[in-house]
């Protein structure tokens, strides 16, 4: 415990300051309204919060369901040690997405209306419900850490009994909403640039989180290995790296194939400046990590795999910004650049997540001893 | 029974009586279903033309857009309407997560304050860029033309149509099929007066507001189902939207076609995933058990506790 106290030591003050700023700005948003705090407009109704906190956040939180599948379904026990940190990161990702939804809707006091009014044809309906339900699943998956700390035996037993069904439900819900985030964009054929718009967007979204998920697991492992002082086995990393290489290769083929089917393959050379963004996203998140992970010398190198994983995550974040901001047309006559308040609220939410992660490492048993005993 | 309004562009003189009537109608004290709506006059700035205000907003649901054209044929102005087109298959109705936007029996796409959560997905889904948001309030609702659904239900014309009927009569209301026939007849009867295109007949699967124009619709900043040129206003953009020569034409399919198709697959895909995962769980568990039994047989130390 004393050693763990020193985790995240340097940034903690900064994180707490950002949390405070974020909280004050969020309160101000609820008093003053969206128009007063943001540069959002009729021409750009969704801005930084949707791109960063919802789209990028949920893509990064995909580590939760991919690792849960790896550990509990595919029974790969060597990943047990990171299951709690990875679930916690995912849980916070979803909490950020949910909070940012509440912050950015026009009628925050009436958020409960989603529980009583249904439109099952709406992809956003599925996404909002999935975020709510999956957050509950993640709370269940993480709750043993809290029950262990408190020493509550019977809730612990109950949660362990429903662990596998909960994991399967989590995978099902994740498959659904990760792809439905792409379906949301299918409703904007006239606005989303043809470099990104394809009827197969839901599939591309799902495949892209299958590469960002395991990459996040690698990053979480890299950080927790320092906190727990365990040795990161290069074998595990390169095994994951091999899987990520396979998925990135598949993603690259799908990206090019969907463009070719629509007859838009030529746009990757001709539609400046949007094609620079496309190339940026593909080079950083797909082509570079693919080349790195295909080469055995880098794949079997700890730092090499971690760098490749970081690139994949950055590339997927870049992609989410492209489809929700840079590549999404505005109504004629409008411009958008986020205000400092928008940026402050977006970063504030992430700061709260970091603070909770720090507290979890400080106060909760982050290694699942129960699973360790089984392994 | 679907009502449709036919707008005769060349007949419009830009008097904006329709805008005025709309604001007066929805400025009235509490309206039964949607609650109090106030459509005040808006301060505007000089746009370099006669067109005011600049765009639709939460307080302007119908707007006469006046476009000045100065080319080889001489200087002239074209009028068009900016407002909700009341699509036959509206993307906003499909997109709204809470069903706050619904199509009524008269073909009006009506917004319900009491269901909305303010997510603004309708604003992004709309191919015509119509729904607007009350940005200036802490509790903000979506606002758009609702086709005076209360008047339509009583069999009366909308406020804007009534106002226009006292002046130029360039907007008229009737059954959709009749209005289309009337529009085609107007085009055929006066050769050279109109472009041979009823805007809204085919665009995104058809709309209940139908426009006629003397100039190509792109000239007044409207994308059509088969646009080959980009309307000038769509080109004039800063960061985040400049599709260059890509026209992004509207097409004849309802906007939500692809999204609906994807959502229809969900009830089949999700149980499939659950069954597949359960199966895989069983397979890997069994594999693990077998390998442990083998280890025990070989006299090795048991792995289980």
């Amino acid at each position: 415990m004393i050693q763990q106290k020193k985790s995240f030591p340097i940034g903690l003050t900064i994180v707490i300051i950002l949390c405070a700023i974020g909280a004050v700005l969020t309160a101000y948003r609820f008093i003053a309204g969206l128009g007063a705090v943001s540069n959002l407009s009729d021409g750009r109704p969704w801005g930084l919060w949707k791109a960063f906190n919802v789209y990028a956040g949920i893509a990064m939180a995909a580590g939760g369901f991919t690792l849960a599948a790896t550990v509990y379904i595919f029974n790969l026990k060597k990943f047990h040690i990171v299951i709690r940190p990875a679930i916690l990161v995912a849980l916070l990702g979803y909490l950020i997405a949910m909070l940012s939804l509440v912050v950015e809707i026009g009628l925050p006091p009436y958020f409960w209306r989603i529980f009583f009014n249904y439109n099952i044809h709406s992809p956003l309906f599925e996404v909002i419900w999935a975020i709510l339900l999956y957050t509950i699943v993640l709370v269940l998956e993480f709750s043993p850490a809290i029950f262990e700390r408190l020493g509550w035996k019977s809730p612990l037993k109950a949660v362990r009994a429903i662990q596998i069904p909960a994991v399967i439900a989590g995978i099902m819900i994740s498959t659904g909403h990760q792809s439905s985030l792409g379906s949301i964009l299918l409703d904007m054929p006239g606005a989303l640039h043809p470099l990104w718009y394809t009827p197969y967007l839901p599939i591309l979204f799902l495949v892209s989180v299958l590469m960002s998920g395991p990459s996040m697991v690698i990053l979480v492992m890299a950080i927790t290995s320092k906190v727990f002082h365990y040795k990161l086995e290069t074998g595990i990393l390169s095994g994951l790296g091999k899987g990520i290489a396979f998925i990135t290769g598949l993603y690259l083929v799908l990206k090019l194939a969907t463009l070719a089917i629509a007859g838009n393959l030529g746009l990757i050379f001709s539609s400046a400046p949007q094609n620079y963004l496309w190339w940026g996203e593909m080079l950083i998140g797909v082509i570079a990590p693919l080349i790195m992970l295909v080469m055995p010398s880098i794949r079997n190198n700890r730092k090499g795999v971690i760098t490749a994983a970081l690139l994949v995550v950055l590339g997927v974040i870049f992609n989410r910004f492209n489809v929700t901001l840079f590549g999404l047309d505005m109504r004629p006559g409008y411009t958008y650049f986020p205000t400092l308040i928008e940026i402050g609220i977006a970063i504030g939410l992430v700061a709260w997540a970091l603070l909770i992660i720090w507290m979890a490492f400080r106060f909760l048993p982050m290694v699942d001893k129960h699973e360790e005993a089984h392994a | 029974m679907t009502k449709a309004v036919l707008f005769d562009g060349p007949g419009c003189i830009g008097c904006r009586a329709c805008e005025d009537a709309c604001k007066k109608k929805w400025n009235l004290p509490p309206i039964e279903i949607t609650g109090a709506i106030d459509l005040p006059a808006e301060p505007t700035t000089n746009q370099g033309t006669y067109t005011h205000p600049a765009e639709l907003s939460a307080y302007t649901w119908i707007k006469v857009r006046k476009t000045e054209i100065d080319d080889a044929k001489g200087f002239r102005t074209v009028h068009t309407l900016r407002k909700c087109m009341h699509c036959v298959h509206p993307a906003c109705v499909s997109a709204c997560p809470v069903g706050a936007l619904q199509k009524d029996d008269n073909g009006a796409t009506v917004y319900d304050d009491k269901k909305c959560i303010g997510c603004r997905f309708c604003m992004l889904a709309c191919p015509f860029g119509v729904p607007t948001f009350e940005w200036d309030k802490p509790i903000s609702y979506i606002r758009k033309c609702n086709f005076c659904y209360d008047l339509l239900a009583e069999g009366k014309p909308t406020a804007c149509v009534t106002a226009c009927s006292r002046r130029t009569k360039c907007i008229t209301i009737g059954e959709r099929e009749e209005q289309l026939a009337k529009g085609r007849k107007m085009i055929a009867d006066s050769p050279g007066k109109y472009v041979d295109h009823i805007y809204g007949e085919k665009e995104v699967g058809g709309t209940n507001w139908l426009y006629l124009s003397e100039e190509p619709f792109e000239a007044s900043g409207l994308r059509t189902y088969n646009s080959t040129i980009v309307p000038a206003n769509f080109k004039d953009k800063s960061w985040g939207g400049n599709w260059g020569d890509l026209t992004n034409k509207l097409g004849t399919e309802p906007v939500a076609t692809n999204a609906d198709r994807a959502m229809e697959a969900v009830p089949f895909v999700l149980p499939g995933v659950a069954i597949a995962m359960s199966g895989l769980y069983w397979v890997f568990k069994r594999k693990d058990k077998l390998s442990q039994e083998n280890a025990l047989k070989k006299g090795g130390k048991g792995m289980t506790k």
Side-chain angles (χ1 to χ4, degrees), chain B residues 4-293:
Chain B
V5 171
L6 183 67
F7 168 66
D8 175 21
C12 177
I13 57 165
C15 72
R16 299 162 73 205
C18 49
E19 291 183 23
D20 182 54
C22 177
K23 293 210 175 200
K24 277 187 181 137
K25 159 97 170 76
W26 294 99
N27 197 9
L28 291 170
I31 296 140
E32 251 176 75
I33 297 176
T34 51
I37 297 171
D38 189 22
L39 293 187
E42 278 188 86
T44 55
T45 50
N46 190 346
Q47 308 290 317
T49 72
Y50 285 110
T51 199
H52 291 291
E55 256 304 334
L56 292 177
S57 76
Y59 307 107
T60 302
W61 298 354
I62 178 169
K63 179 185 127 67
V64 179
R65 182 192 272 162
K66 186 177 208 167
T67 313
E68 289 152 10
I69 302 175
D70 192 6
D71 60 13
K73 281 192 270 176
F75 179 83
R76 59 211 185 277
T77 52
V78 203
H79 293 102
T80 198
L81 291 180
R82 283 284 291 134
K83 66 179 296 300
C84 176
M85 301 295 288
H86 296 281
C87 303
V88 176
H89 304 284
C92 55
V93 170
S94 171
C96 181
V98 287
L101 288 148
Q102 294 288 346
K103 202 97 191 115
D104 83 354
D105 295 340
N106 295 312
T109 306
V110 183
Y111 168 75
D112 184 355
D113 280 29
K114 291 202 167 70
K115 286 184 182 169
C116 185
I117 57 169
C119 72
R120 305 190 289 287
F121 191 11
C122 52
M123 299 171 70
L124 283 148
C126 178
F128 302 104
V130 167
T132 49
F133 191 68
E134 296 178 329
W135 294 104
D136 52 342
K137 294 181 182 169
I139 299 289
S140 323
Y141 288 87
I142 294 287
R143 294 286 173 235
K144 73 169 198 70
C145 160
N146 52 33
F147 216 159
C148 291
Y149 62 92
D150 48 342
L151 294 178
L152 288 193
E154 294 169 20
K156 290 179 188 158
T158 63
C160 50
V161 170
T162 308
C164 193
S165 69
R166 296 193 208 104
R167 294 171 177 83
T168 59
K169 301 181 180 58
C170 63
I171 50 178
T172 51
I173 192 161
E175 297 301 311
R176 187 163 190 270
E177 286 312 307
E178 289 166 18
Q179 295 287 63
L180 280 171
K182 187 173 146 194
R184 280 191 212 104
K185 191 166 177 298
M186 283 164 77
I187 293 171
D189 285 354
S190 18
K193 188 178 175 188
Y194 302 100
V195 289
D196 187 13
H197 183 158
I198 302 176
Y199 190 77
E201 184 185 5
K202 291 180 186 151
E203 276 74 19
V204 294
T207 63
N208 289 332
W209 276 65
L210 304 161
Y211 297 175
L212 296 178
S213 173
E214 67 269 45
E215 297 285 339
F217 289 96
E218 290 85 356
S220 26
L222 300 176
R223 295 181 294 184
T224 68
Y225 76 92
N226 61 354
S227 282
T228 49
I229 51 166
V230 191
N233 55 336
F234 280 82
K235 276 183 186 165
D236 173 31
K237 270 176 258 168
S238 57
W239 177 249
N242 181 357
W243 290 181
D245 293 330
L246 303 168
T247 58
N248 270 327
K249 58 191 172 198
L250 291 175
T252 55
E253 269 193 343
V255 171
T257 306
N258 284 328
D260 284 348
R261 212 171 278 157
M263 292 309 292
E264 274 162 22
V266 169
F268 302 100
V269 173
L270 295 196
V273 170
I275 292 164
M277 284 300 146
S278 309
L280 286 172
Y281 171 70
W282 184 83
V283 168
F284 283 101
K285 196 86 188 162
R286 174 139 184 90
K287 207 172 131 194
D288 194 45
K289 205 177 158 196
L290 287 177
S291 67
Q292 277 178 20
E293 274 167 12

Side-chain angles (χ1 to χ4, degrees), chain A residues 87-109:
Chain A
I87 294 290
L88 180 65
V89 168
L91 173 59
L92 292 167
Y94 279 86
L95 284 175
I96 289 175
M98 210 154 68
L99 284 174
S100 101
L101 275 174
V102 175
V103 167
E104 76 166 338
I105 60 171
L107 302 156

Side-chain angles (χ1 to χ4, degrees), chain A residues 321-338:
Chain A
F321 269 83
N322 282 341
V323 291
T324 54
L325 281 181
F326 309 138
L328 194 69
D329 205 356
M330 278 182 268
R331 291 185 191 174
Y334 289 91
T335 55
Y336 174 73
F337 192 85

